[in-house]
Amino acid sequence: MRDALDHWDRTFSEIGQNPESEEPWLGRWIADVLEAGRDAPVLDLGCGSGLDSQFLIKNGFDVISADFSKEALEATRRRVPEARLVRFDMTHRLPFPDASFRVVVASLSLHYFPWQTTLEILGEVRRTLKPGGYLLARFNSTRDVYYSAAAKEEVEKNFYLVGGLPKRLFDRRSVEALFAGGWEIDSAEERATRRYGGEKTVWEVAARKTD
Ligand SMILES: C[S@@+](CC[C@H](N)C(=O)[O-])C[C@H]1O[C@@H](n2cnc3c(N)ncnc32)[C@H](O)[C@@H]1O
């Protein structure tokens, strides 16, 4: 965990001088998912440099931006000075009461963990969502060009060490397995996006908490 934290602190202290940008992916979810959640804050889980927090705040949402990297939170603060920042490690119990949120956003932040840990994080996200609340998430796809080309060591099925850091790739079956207990997947699509100056393939998922 220490290695991962050091990695992200280093990454975001560099990004701080050279902010990345991409087409906001949350735009297509405003009408169908986000609008209904204006009565509670949106949690941006693993907010990184705050791209999604910035988009949400610009669109008038109350946002809690969360990450375990101090440098990530600092980069978010520079990008959106009004952001509400919370620092924690999401592999532990999330520091929020049950049913705090109508929407949790987790973009490219849930694929660093062993399968059992990933399920536990999903369980915590579910606990902190109100009934009928949504997780809007993006995961690296098994079709992602960068990771298929990268030198890597497989430690679990579709879970690799890439340059010493763990990364999971998702196919449809693993997306469905992740949301098998207590969730309804409204939408799960592979989509192309851009990151780090190159093309990237991700699963974009809207999953609703069921009773
Ligand atoms: C690829 S970045 C994505 C950042 C942002 N959501 C985005 O899409 O630009 C992954 C983020 O997850 C955070 N992260 C990784 N493991 C974490 C953990 N155990 N607890 C909290 N945040 C974590 C990293 O610090 C990093 O900011």
Side-chain angles (χ1 to χ4, degrees):
M1 188 54 69
R2 187 75 240 158
D3 287 353
L5 184 55
D6 287 347
H7 165 82
W8 288 114
D9 275 346
R10 240 177 301 116
T11 302
F12 290 112
S13 57
E14 286 154 18
I15 279 177
Q17 280 87 51
N18 180 23
E20 55 185 327
S21 64
E22 72 166 320
E23 239 359 74
W25 66 284
L26 287 171
R28 67 191 280 258
W29 296 109
I30 286 194
D32 290 345
V33 172
L34 287 157
E35 272 310 336
R38 283 202 187 266
D39 59 340
V42 177
L43 174 63
D44 184 2
L45 185 60
C47 64
S49 66
L51 288 166
D52 293 335
S53 294
Q54 180 180 39
F55 174 83
L56 290 164
I57 289 169
K58 263 195 193 154
N59 281 279
F61 292 92
D62 178 18
V63 179
I64 295 179
S65 310
D67 208 287
F68 74 162
S69 158
K70 207 160 132 271
E71 294 294 339
L73 292 174
E74 189 51 35
T76 296
R77 195 189 55 72
R78 278 195 297 272
R79 192 188 289 282
V80 229
E82 63 272 47
R84 282 206 272 159
L85 309 177
V86 186
R87 186 170 179 218
F88 59 82
D89 179 348
M90 70 171 96
T91 61
H92 301 145
R93 185 179 167 86
L94 302 188
F96 306 106
D98 296 359
S100 296
F101 308 109
R102 259 192 219 294
V103 182
V104 174
V105 168
S107 169
L108 304 174
S109 59
L110 298 177
H111 49 223
Y112 299 107
F113 313 103
W115 185 251
Q116 186 52 37
T117 308
T118 315
L119 289 176
E120 286 162 15
I121 296 171
L122 260 277
E124 274 296 282
V125 169
R126 192 175 176 283
R127 178 184 68 73
T128 60
L129 278 173
K130 296 178 189 291
Y134 275 85
L135 171 62
L136 294 175
R138 298 199 302 176
F139 305 93
N140 283 328
S141 162
T142 47
R143 278 191 249 233
D144 188 81
V145 180
Y146 171 73
Y147 289 118
S148 18
K152 55 194 191 241
E153 176 194 338
E154 194 169 33
V155 285
E156 265 181 24
K157 185 168 163 46
N158 288 336
F159 189 49
Y160 301 94
L161 284 178
V162 183
L165 275 184
K167 284 198 177 113
R168 179 174 297 286
L169 304 182
F170 284 79
D171 53 18
R172 180 170 289 280
R173 190 198 274 217
S174 49
V175 168
E176 287 173 359
L178 193 57
F179 293 100
W183 298 91
E184 184 75 39
I185 297 178
D186 277 13
S187 171
E189 278 178 31
E190 264 180 314
R191 299 178 76 86
T193 184
R194 295 193 67 75
R195 264 297 156 100
Y196 314 117
E199 194 150 295
K200 193 166 171 52
T201 310
V202 298
W203 281 96
E204 191 172 307
V205 178
R208 187 166 34 84
K209 171 178 170 170
T210 55
D211 297 336

